[in-house]
Amino acid sequence: MWLKLYLGAVAMVVLGVVPVLARNRMMTTLEINHSSGRYRICSHVLGLQRGQWKKLPLVQRVVVRYFSEYVAASSDYQEGDFQQAREYILLFSVPDSPTGVILYRHPVREQAVAIACQIGDALGVEVVEFNQYQQVSVVQDAPPPAHQ
């Protein structure tokens, strides 16, 4: 009986600790390789990296776009059961394309803009933001071209 309780306790600890470690050790990164003209979005979990390299499109600018939708908070759909889910989507704006390449989604505007500015710096392009009213504003200008 003691052995069964001990094994049960160990199983509970393992089942409880692994998801916590995985959640606390999970990270998403964007890697850009200028020399090969490729990028990838990687998920890192417990030291393991996963993500496929894709061809880097000709990026005109980095866009932060506000997005929201209403979701049902319960299945009986009573009044007031809907909640607004908001997020900021980071995209590559690509010439002659009606849609952008979605890179990342973030719930906090300030952090989404900061990430977009870092990407804009890395690619040498401007960063723009579309707010909830679809008004556009330049957040960061493209850096001047380097003199050779």
Side-chain angles (χ1 to χ4, degrees):
M1 181 170 150
W2 177 81
L3 184 59
K4 286 182 183 178
L5 289 175
Y6 177 76
L7 290 176
V10 168
M12 287 177 57
V13 168
V14 169
L15 292 175
V17 170
V18 169
V20 170
L21 286 175
R23 184 176 61 242
N24 290 335
R25 301 280 185 217
M26 193 148 100
M27 178 174 59
T28 301
T29 59
L30 170 67
E31 297 179 8
I32 299 172
N33 187 326
H34 287 285
S35 62
S36 70
R38 298 197 170 287
Y39 79 99
R40 71 177 172 175
I41 299 169
C42 297
S43 296
H44 301 265
V45 179
L46 296 173
L48 301 173
Q49 182 174 323
R50 187 174 168 105
Q52 291 184 325
W53 287 99
K54 298 177 183 174
K55 184 180 183 316
L56 184 64
L58 178 61
V59 178
Q60 286 181 317
R61 58 189 181 176
V62 177
V63 176
V64 179
R65 183 174 289 277
Y66 175 86
F67 176 78
S68 70
E69 64 183 346
Y70 286 94
V71 293
S74 69
S75 61
D76 57 2
Y77 303 112
Q78 295 178 5
E79 188 174 334
D81 281 347
F82 291 94
Q83 296 176 349
Q84 186 176 17
R86 298 180 188 127
E87 63 184 357
Y88 296 86
I89 302 172
L90 278 66
L91 312 127
F92 283 152
S93 176
V94 181
D96 302 323
S97 175
T99 60
V101 177
I102 295 176
L103 300 172
Y104 188 68
R105 297 170 185 267
H106 203 286
V108 179
R109 179 196 168 274
E110 291 77 14
Q111 292 175 357
V113 169
I115 293 167
C117 288
Q118 290 176 0
I119 296 169
D121 284 342
L123 295 175
V125 296
E126 76 175 350
V127 178
V128 298
E129 178 183 12
F130 287 87
N131 65 17
Q132 63 265 37
Y133 307 109
Q134 299 304 311
Q135 297 166 328
V136 65
S137 61
V138 176
V139 176
Q140 176 177 287
D141 289 322
H147 297 297
Q148 296 184 10

